[in-house]
Amino acid sequence: MKNIAIIMGGYSSEYQISLKSGNVVYQFLDKTKYNGFQIHILPEKWVYVDDNAAEFPIDKNDFSITVNGNKINFDAVFNAIHGTPGEDGLMQAYFELLKIPQSSCDYYQAALTFNKRDMLSVLKPYGIKCATSYYLNKGEHIDTQEIVAKVGLPCFVKPNKSGSSFGISKVKTEAELPIAIEIAYKEDNEIIIESFLDGTEVSVGVINYKGIVTVLPITEIVSDNDFFDYEAKYLGKSQEITPARIAPEVAEKVNAVAKKAYEILKMSGFSRSEFILVDGEPFMLEMNTIPGLTTESLIPQQAKEAGISLEDLFTNAIELALKK
């Protein structure tokens, strides 16, 4: 039996969603192959939490735990941390130094994809389309006229490095820009302001399944709110339709671009990319490397449609990590 640490929590606004994802991984882990350990990585503590909610501290020197006098080391780590330090490369680099295999991509890919501006800059020369954007760093002069001249209205103001739609605003007038920028700065010191793309929003998972890069069925997102924000994602204020109601030739384009991005970036583990389809052309918004894994989340929905159970999905991720 292999000992698998399921890391969850994190240091960002997404930590509660991450705890849910981690719990789902723990529940659906194949108990005939693995001993699962729920590890909470939080700013104030790193602890193993057992089924009775007792806590045991992690020894950060070798990422081990001691339970009732027995020292336990881990054969692999299942990474379910959304946001920092699990999705931005920090945990990946730490585990690489300790030579402990982990389920997500490597540290460079994690850092690159977590930074929306940098990722889109890398993909653009390969012909992958994205929105017109304007960048701001905290402390820089804000010229609202210049922003509107470049990206137009309405536009989206986003923190450059955050997930779950925290800090994102849809801005309809120039006067709203400074307020939206302040909200985004609460999440990050870098901002990306993007032109509004009028089209169908879709999300598509790409995984390495049994050694083959596999594109999962596409999900169409119809938000009850103005866009796919936190409420739409987690509080049921959206319809998520899998497979998406799009023409087969458009689906083929989305699949090709999602797979191309995964391969260009030398990704491993999970990825979930968001696109807006404008006149049948996919424009890429972002890529998540630790996508939500709750039963309502998009990757589990897409896997189910592809005939892959959660147990299979998680076993596959762990087995690929062990082979790395």
Side-chain angles (χ1 to χ4, degrees):
M1 292 276 275
K2 302 269 189 210
N3 290 336
I4 307 297
I6 303 160
I7 59 170
M8 58 189 91
Y11 302 171
S12 76
S13 308
E14 295 184 88
Y15 80 96
Q16 282 174 314
I17 301 146
S18 168
L19 291 174
K20 277 189 184 170
S21 287
N23 281 327
V24 170
V25 176
Y26 179 67
Q27 278 167 28
F28 285 92
L29 205 63
D30 184 342
K31 307 291 189 287
T32 65
K33 290 181 180 163
Y34 313 116
N35 296 316
F37 294 81
Q38 297 192 75
I39 309 288
H40 290 198
I41 305 285
L42 302 166
E44 67 282 5
K45 61 187 176 184
W46 290 22
V47 289
Y48 157 53
V49 182
D50 74 8
D51 291 339
N52 303 314
E55 294 185 355
F56 302 86
I58 297 282
D59 181 346
K60 291 183 187 175
N61 294 301
D62 60 358
F63 199 72
S64 65
I65 52 174
T66 303
V67 180
N68 307 327
N70 297 321
K71 182 175 163 113
I72 299 168
N73 290 301
F74 298 106
D75 297 294
V77 172
F78 193 107
N79 184 355
I81 296 177
H82 311 311
T84 189
E87 201 167 4
D88 58 0
L90 293 174
M91 295 304 288
Q92 288 87 340
Y94 167 71
F95 290 124
E96 189 162 316
L97 288 171
L98 293 178
K99 297 193 165 34
I100 301 173
Q102 54 88 32
S103 62
S104 60
C105 59
D106 293 336
Y107 68 91
Y108 173 72
Q109 281 75 8
L112 177 66
T113 49
F114 197 65
N115 186 312
K116 297 181 184 83
R117 307 196 311 201
D118 291 0
M119 183 199 70
L120 294 171
S121 305
V122 168
L123 292 176
K124 253 185 216 169
Y126 290 91
I128 290 175
K129 299 181 172 77
C130 49
T132 304
S133 52
Y134 185 102
Y135 302 154
L136 268 180
N137 294 327
K138 201 160 197 170
E140 283 179 356
H141 171 65
I142 298 165
D143 183 336
T144 54
Q145 271 182 312
E146 192 182 305
I147 294 168
V148 172
K150 180 149 191 210
V151 301
L153 288 168
C155 63
F156 281 101
V157 178
K158 306 175 177 182
N160 187 34
K161 303 183 294 286
S162 87
S164 294
S165 302
F166 284 111
I168 297 185
S169 307
K170 184 175 178 183
V171 171
K172 293 170 183 145
T173 66
E174 190 182 325
E176 291 169 27
L177 268 170
I179 302 153
I181 288 166
E182 269 316 297
I183 291 167
Y185 276 144
K186 287 197 173 87
E187 296 290 330
D188 190 16
N189 58 7
E190 298 174 349
I191 286 178
I192 181 166
I193 302 172
E194 290 181 329
S195 59
F196 170 67
L197 296 169
D198 196 4
T200 304
E201 182 162 357
V202 296
S203 182
V204 59
V206 181
I207 58 173
N208 181 327
Y209 190 63
K210 300 185 174 168
I212 297 161
V213 175
T214 303
V215 184
L216 296 172
I218 301 166
T219 301
E220 178 186 346
I221 290 154
V222 185
S223 176
D224 299 349
N225 293 356
D226 224 358
F227 63 99
F228 195 43
D229 60 6
Y230 181 86
E231 286 188 339
K233 272 183 184 160
Y234 299 107
L235 305 178
K237 295 204 172 176
S238 68
Q239 279 175 282
E240 293 154 9
I241 301 154
T242 313
R245 301 167 300 180
I246 55 179
E249 61 274 17
V250 176
E252 243 169 73
K253 272 187 193 171
V254 174
N255 290 347
V257 175
K259 187 173 186 228
K260 186 178 179 182
Y262 190 94
E263 289 173 337
I264 289 165
L265 299 173
K266 300 186 177 69
M267 283 295 299
S268 53
F270 296 93
S271 91
R272 197 193 74 224
S273 299
E274 321 296 336
F275 295 93
I276 302 278
L277 305 177
V278 182
D279 300 327
E281 286 298 320
F283 284 73
M284 191 166 190
L285 299 178
E286 62 177 339
M287 182 190 282
N288 299 286
T289 58
I290 314 278
L293 296 169
T294 67
T295 42
E296 307 84 62
S297 298
L298 298 178
I299 288 264
Q301 283 182 40
Q302 293 171 7
K304 188 179 175 185
E305 184 65 27
I308 302 168
S309 70
L310 284 180
E311 189 176 290
D312 268 357
L313 193 67
F314 302 151
T315 297
N316 178 68
I318 292 164
E319 291 305 315
L320 287 174
L322 288 166
K323 281 184 192 133
K324 263 188 202 174

